[in-house]
Amino acid sequence: MLRAHLGPMFNGVPTQVSANTPEKMSPVRTHVLVVDDDPSIRQMIVDYLGDNEMQVTALASGREIAHVTAHEMIDLLILDLKLPGEDGMDIARRIRADSNMPIIMLTARKEEADRVMALELGADDYLTKPFSPRELLARIRALLRRSRSHETVAEGLAKIRAYRFAGWELNVRVRRLKSPQGEVMTLRNAEFNLLAAFLASPQRVLTREQLLSMSHLHDDEVYDRAIDTQVGRLRRKLEEHGASKELIHTERGAGYVFTVAVEVVR
């Protein structure tokens, strides 16, 4: 599924940003949703996270949350505990009932009971105002690392029958890859796990550490710096069987990106 290309949103009104052509498609950035009635805090978060290569949608109230999450793929929610006319805890409870999206609560209160209640209702972390944007960024990154490494490839694949991308199909049940020309190939264990890791997070920069965590099994052949070697082998196998474009792109100093959209068959 491709993400929509929407810019920052203020008071529920999005700013449109032109989509890139497929040939120039940039890796999808982490998308953070911020809900806070204080415009100065919203602007600070938009500016700071934007400077750190994150996409931010900012709202002044919780009324537009359902609309945004229905049309955008949100990676993490920053939610003010006390919003005019609504309770951030109620919002967190509703979101947690339907989603495992990481939630950071913002509060001006310092009472321990409020912090404990926020965590019990499903928030993953909290910050007391005023807070440092640098600390907020560190907490966001820590939460995203935990969230993205929580489900192993084996756990995720148990719910999936196949992945389809650019004419290819990876049959998860029998671990076979079919090319656009109909040629079927059997993948080695390391190749299958690495390809499945890419297909689980398409069009997103994955670091070597993330790839190791996502693709690692006890009998795996994938080890830390050997990720580069394994990626090279997987690339060659795809090219040898008719890959017409670079499916796995190297982001220098960052990691790798699987460049095309992926369809999940459950």
Side-chain angles (χ1 to χ4, degrees):
M1 177 178 178
L2 291 174
R3 297 188 187 215
H5 292 267
L6 288 180
M9 181 180 295
F10 295 95
N11 297 323
V13 180
T15 300
Q16 297 289 342
V17 178
S18 298
N20 293 321
T21 62
E23 292 77 11
K24 298 180 181 179
M25 184 177 293
S26 298
V28 177
R29 296 182 297 170
T30 296
H31 193 166
V32 176
L33 175 60
V34 181
V35 184
D36 195 300
D37 64 313
D38 187 329
S40 64
I41 290 179
R42 293 200 306 272
Q43 190 64 58
M44 176 190 70
I45 294 174
V46 168
D47 291 343
Y48 193 81
L49 297 187
D51 288 343
N52 284 274
E53 300 184 349
M54 292 187 180
Q55 180 181 353
V56 184
T57 295
L59 302 175
S61 76
R63 291 188 296 274
E64 296 292 330
I65 291 178
H67 174 79
V68 172
T69 55
H71 293 84
E72 295 277 349
M73 294 181 67
I74 303 298
D75 297 296
L76 181 141
L77 172 66
I78 300 172
L79 178 64
D80 189 14
L81 181 63
K82 189 67 174 178
L83 294 167
E86 44 191 346
D87 189 335
M89 290 189 183
D90 289 337
I91 295 172
R93 184 187 295 110
R94 291 198 303 269
I95 291 174
R96 184 54 71 236
D98 300 323
S99 170
N100 290 322
M101 179 195 312
I103 301 173
I104 296 178
M105 298 291 290
L106 301 180
T107 176
R109 306 174 185 177
K110 296 184 179 179
E111 290 80 359
E112 181 181 7
D114 290 317
R115 300 197 300 270
V116 171
M117 185 176 295
L119 295 173
E120 288 180 344
L121 289 176
D124 299 279
D125 203 350
Y126 69 89
L127 276 175
T128 302
K129 300 177 183 178
F131 57 87
S132 159
R134 183 177 179 181
E135 180 181 2
L136 174 63
L137 177 62
R139 288 173 183 260
I140 289 172
R141 287 173 171 168
L143 273 180
L144 291 176
R145 282 195 299 270
R146 293 206 304 267
S147 174
R148 289 168 182 168
S149 65
H150 178 70
E151 184 178 75
T152 66
V153 168
E155 291 169 338
L157 292 180
K159 309 170 188 175
I160 295 171
R161 288 192 294 137
Y163 288 109
R164 293 172 182 158
F165 57 95
W168 297 74
E169 182 178 282
L170 178 65
N171 187 314
V172 171
R173 304 290 169 81
V174 296
R175 294 186 166 226
R176 288 180 181 171
L177 181 64
K178 184 168 68 174
S179 74
Q181 293 75 33
E183 184 178 4
V184 177
M185 63 196 85
T186 301
L187 298 176
R188 298 172 62 185
N189 193 48
E191 294 169 340
F192 174 82
N193 292 331
L194 187 57
L195 179 57
F198 277 121
L199 297 179
S201 299
Q203 299 175 313
R204 181 193 296 278
V205 176
L206 296 175
T207 66
R208 290 172 178 82
E209 180 183 4
Q210 287 173 319
L211 285 170
L212 178 64
S213 175
M214 294 169 69
S215 64
H216 182 71
L217 295 176
H218 292 301
D219 59 348
D220 221 346
E221 298 173 9
V222 181
Y223 306 106
D224 202 356
R225 296 298 297 180
I227 283 287
D228 294 335
T229 301
Q230 295 294 343
V231 169
R233 289 176 179 171
L234 181 59
R235 273 184 178 146
R236 286 193 296 274
K237 177 164 281 192
L238 293 172
E239 291 169 358
E240 289 169 359
H241 291 83
S244 58
K245 62 181 297 184
E246 184 184 35
L247 297 178
I248 302 172
H249 175 72
T250 302
E251 285 290 324
R252 294 192 180 279
Y256 298 95
V257 180
F258 196 81
T259 61
V260 299
V262 175
E263 176 189 358
V264 178
V265 182
R266 299 185 185 275

